[in-house]
């Protein structure tokens, strides 16, 4: 049962344009969400997070939007840069109880120069 | 400051063997989690330890075990290896906030190949 889904395995975007990565979840009890970036041969690197009490969180070029009614979150990267080319994972967790994070399958972003 | 360090980085084992993977968390982090990432999938939760106690366990067989030491480093042990255990094993450390969540800081992983 895939509770966190990233339905787009890959995305290509021109440098300078906006990249939008999407993530859907099925468990309405999730109340904390994160995005991670992963380069080959490296561990995932934390990008940005959002609590369910918010619908938007911004950090520089990265903005995460949360739509709780649709159980959907998205990561916007503006402007996209070639160095952003990586695999992006969304993850969800509960703020109480077990401390595990449920990851999606990832979206490979390629930013074209 | 050193990040999360894992060893070994790569290893090859044969079916039925045992493997031990090691992890040192970021200084000051008391929580260590282990994840398995199979090619083409996202990381899947195996264990979480905090203050040397198991705080969570994922849907993995009893062949998988772990422990955390007084210095907060951790070991993941896998017995009776199967071909399907071939994966990247990621260790992550975190500060546990009062809310019970916190960003995970991952190591580079240990890539296990089972032949």
């Amino acid at each position: 049962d895939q509770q966190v889904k990233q339905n787009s395995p890959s995305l290509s975007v021109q440098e300078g344009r906006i990249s939008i990565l999407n993530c859907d979840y099925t468990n309405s009890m999730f109340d904390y969400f994160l995005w991670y970036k992963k380069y080959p041969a490296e561990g995932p690197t934390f990008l940005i997070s959002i609590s369910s009490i918010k619908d938007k969180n911004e950090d520089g070029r990265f903005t995460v939007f949360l739509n709780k009614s649709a159980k959907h979150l998205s990561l916007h990267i503006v402007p996209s840069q070639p160095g952003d080319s990586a695999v992006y994972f969304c993850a969800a967790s509960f703020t109480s109880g077990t401390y595990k994070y449920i990851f999606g399958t990832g979206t490979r972003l390629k930013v074209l120069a | 400051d050193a990040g999360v360090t894992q060893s070994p980085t790569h290893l090859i084992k044969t079916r039925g063997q045992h493997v031990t993977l090691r992890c040192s968390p970021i200084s000051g982090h008391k929580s260590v989690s282990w994840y398995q990432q199979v090619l083409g999938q996202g990381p899947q939760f195996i264990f979480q330890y905090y203050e040397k106690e198991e705080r969570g366990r994922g849907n993995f067989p009893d062949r998988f075990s772990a422990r955390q030491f007084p210095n907060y480093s951790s070991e993941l042990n896998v017995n009776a290896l199967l071909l399907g255990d071939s994966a990247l094993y990621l260790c992550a450390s975190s500060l546990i906030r009062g809310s019970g969540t916190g960003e995970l800081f991952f190591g580079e992983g240990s890539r296990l190949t089972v032949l």
Side-chain angles (χ1 to χ4, degrees), chain B residues 6-20:
Chain B
Q6 293 186 242
S7 63
T9 55
H10 295 81
L11 67 167
I12 299 173
K13 294 284 188 178
T14 57
R15 283 178 294 177
Q17 285 189 313
H18 162 271
V19 67
T20 297

Side-chain angles (χ1 to χ4, degrees), chain B residues 8-80:
Chain B
T9 55
H10 295 81
L11 67 167
I12 299 173
K13 294 284 188 178
T14 57
R15 283 178 294 177
Q17 285 189 313
H18 162 271
V19 67
T20 297
L21 307 177
R22 296 178 174 82
C23 173
S24 293
I26 293 171
S27 178
H29 286 192
K30 299 181 178 180
S31 173
V32 170
S33 300
W34 287 94
Y35 285 79
Q36 180 197 64
Q37 186 180 12
V38 175
L39 195 63
Q41 300 295 317
Q44 187 173 359
F45 175 74
I46 309 176
F47 286 109
Q48 197 246 357
Y49 277 78
Y50 177 66
E51 288 284 13
K52 301 180 290 293
E53 291 189 3
E54 182 182 304
R55 299 295 292 269
R57 183 186 180 112
N59 188 24
F60 281 81
D62 291 343
R63 299 185 295 108
F64 287 76
S65 63
R67 55 180 175 168
Q68 186 176 33
F69 299 99
N71 66 354
Y72 303 110
S73 67
S74 177
E75 281 183 357
L76 175 70
N77 293 283
V78 186
N79 292 323

